[in-house]
Amino acid sequence: MSDYGENESKFMRKAKENPFVPIGMAGFFAIVGYRLMKMKNRGDTKMSVHLIHMRVAAQGFVVGAMTIGVLYSMYKDYIAKPKADQKALSNK
């Protein structure tokens, strides 16, 4: 079994590799927390409808963060990297 410090460094390493995963997780929990606090003031809305809206909003945020992360990764790999490679070749 690994100790807590090793797990923490592994999470931090993964977060540095792909920063949109912790952003997606934080947004998910923020939306769920906000919607749970607003549950008292939902008015005439049924509980099931309120929970469905909460789920859709949270999932939408996570999917959006994942999409932005993939687009950013593709930009780094296919647009920014070839330009850097071309500069290195031209300097030789």
Side-chain angles (χ1 to χ4, degrees), residues 28-42 47 50-55 58:
F28 174 83
F29 288 118
I31 290 171
V32 169
Y34 175 74
R35 296 294 290 205
L36 286 175
M37 285 180 10
K38 285 193 64 149
M39 193 176 290
K40 290 180 183 178
N41 302 331
R42 71 180 186 271
M47 173 73 80
H50 182 75
L51 292 175
I52 288 170
H53 288 169
M54 177 176 58
R55 179 184 62 89

Side-chain angles (χ1 to χ4, degrees), residues 6 18 28 59 75:
E6 186 177 337
N18 191 357
F28 174 83
Q59 282 180 335
Y75 171 77

Side-chain angles (χ1 to χ4, degrees), residues 17-24 61-77:
E17 289 174 8
N18 191 357
F20 293 98
V21 171
I23 291 170
F61 187 88
V62 170
V63 169
M66 288 173 51
T67 303
I68 292 171
V70 167
L71 292 173
Y72 177 70
S73 175
M74 288 174 62
Y75 171 77
K76 280 193 331 185
D77 291 343

